[in-house]
Amino acid sequence: MSEHIGEADAVHDKLPPADFYDPVIEAYKKDVDRTLLRENLKLTVEQRLQKFASFSKYAQELRGAAWRSAVKESNHGR
Amino acid sequence: MGANFPEILPLLLRHGVRFVLIGGGAATVHGSARLTLDVDVVYARDPDNLKRLVAALSPCQPYLRGAPPGLPFRWDERTIQSGLNFTLTTTLGDLDLLGEVTGGGNYEQLLPFTQELSAFGISCRVVTLERLIQLKRAAGRPKDLEIIAELQALLEERRKIEPSRGG
């Protein structure tokens, strides 16, 4: 266990700052929809989690609908 | 199923488990617009905390995610002590229990880089946005590049509205 801690300490010291400039990340950043982030930043933490839960539920329902539709199509083809 | 924060986090807290929320859950807390499918936490590995983890999760039938069914997997202190990082399925959803995280170390080492999260009547520790970015970068996974870009954009947007917060 102590070996792990030693390794982790060493890594801690080497970590670049959070705003470290990386051209690869900058390229990806161009595709980030900042309007979504700005809207989220206006919310409280509780509201962000509620929004996540509601979106998650919606995504789950969509997946279920897609699966049922695929099964139905498959049964029709037989 | 999306990450089940509303049930998993209170369960761990009710049993007094010491942990830090990291990963997609922490990103959501900080304002990320991404959907995450599991809950990632770094847990303290002292014997008392392992006991609490066992007690908290035992009723949820934890099992190794992706492993074939029927393996002799026992959720007890000995198993946790023998391992370190566990990717689990539970009846409440997927849960990643990490004894250590690349770039962040263990629970005690990560603790100074956390803030309190209070929501839905509970309160737990969540890794700061700055440290989350550093952890994602340290992980070195290609799949994280888009996420790091989003988190950095989030940091920039946050600094625009809270310039005194720095970073």
Side-chain angles (χ1 to χ4, degrees):
Chain A
M1 197 63 197
S2 59
E3 283 179 13
H4 287 297
I5 291 169
E7 285 167 16
D9 269 344
V11 177
H12 261 287
D13 296 339
K14 290 177 193 167
L15 293 177
D19 53 4
F20 178 79
Y21 180 86
D22 178 340
V24 176
I25 298 296
E26 292 304 314
Y28 277 99
K29 228 185 260 183
K30 286 174 188 156
D31 294 325
V32 174
D33 186 343
R34 288 180 184 251
T35 60
L36 289 174
L37 304 184
R38 287 178 196 134
E39 287 306 308
N40 282 348
L41 285 173
K42 289 176 192 167
L43 305 175
T44 64
V45 169
E46 201 159 303
Q47 287 169 330
R48 287 173 202 163
L49 289 171
Q50 274 169 342
K51 185 176 169 184
F52 170 86
S54 136
F55 182 59
S56 177
K57 191 178 168 195
Y58 176 65
Q60 201 179 336
E61 281 170 13
L62 275 183
R63 275 184 201 149
W67 182 80
R68 284 191 296 275
S69 168
V71 169
K72 201 173 170 182
E73 291 283 320
S74 162
N75 287 342
H76 267 293
R78 282 181 189 166
Chain B
M1 179 195 279
N4 190 352
F5 305 112
E7 289 191 80
I8 292 179
L9 298 183
L11 174 73
L12 296 177
L13 290 167
R14 274 200 305 275
H15 284 82
V17 176
R18 294 191 302 135
F19 66 92
V20 171
L21 179 66
I22 64 163
T28 300
V29 165
H30 290 302
S32 164
R34 286 173 173 272
L35 191 61
T36 185
L37 299 175
D38 58 9
V39 177
D40 303 292
V41 302
V42 175
Y43 66 98
R45 282 184 57 82
D46 59 276
D48 282 346
N49 205 47
L50 299 193
K51 272 185 200 165
R52 295 183 198 121
L53 256 180
V54 170
L57 295 178
S58 289
C60 308
Q61 301 164 35
Y63 192 71
L64 298 171
R65 195 157 72 235
L71 289 183
F73 178 72
R74 288 171 64 98
W75 183 246
D76 58 19
E77 289 154 61
R78 191 173 167 190
T79 297
I80 309 177
Q81 189 63 59
S82 306
L84 182 67
N85 296 339
F86 300 87
T87 52
L88 303 171
T89 57
T90 76
T91 52
L92 296 181
D94 292 342
L95 171 65
D96 288 359
L97 284 177
L98 308 170
E100 284 186 9
V101 61
T102 306
N106 60 22
Y107 172 83
E108 284 78 13
Q109 289 167 319
L110 197 55
L111 212 48
F113 306 98
T114 63
Q115 59 191 77
E116 189 165 283
L117 154 69
S118 295
F120 307 113
I122 61 156
S123 182
C124 69
R125 305 301 301 180
V126 58
V127 72
T128 62
L129 176 58
E130 291 82 357
R131 181 57 53 161
L132 182 60
I133 294 169
Q134 291 176 307
L135 295 181
K136 288 286 181 192
R137 193 185 288 281
R141 299 177 303 190
K143 71 169 189 172
D144 285 336
L145 292 174
E146 277 183 46
I147 299 169
I148 295 168
E150 193 209 30
L151 294 176
Q152 274 198 346
L154 199 52
L155 187 62
E156 289 163 10
E157 292 299 323
R158 201 176 71 180
R159 283 175 177 171
K160 283 180 198 168
I161 53 175
E162 301 173 58
S164 60
R165 192 159 171 169

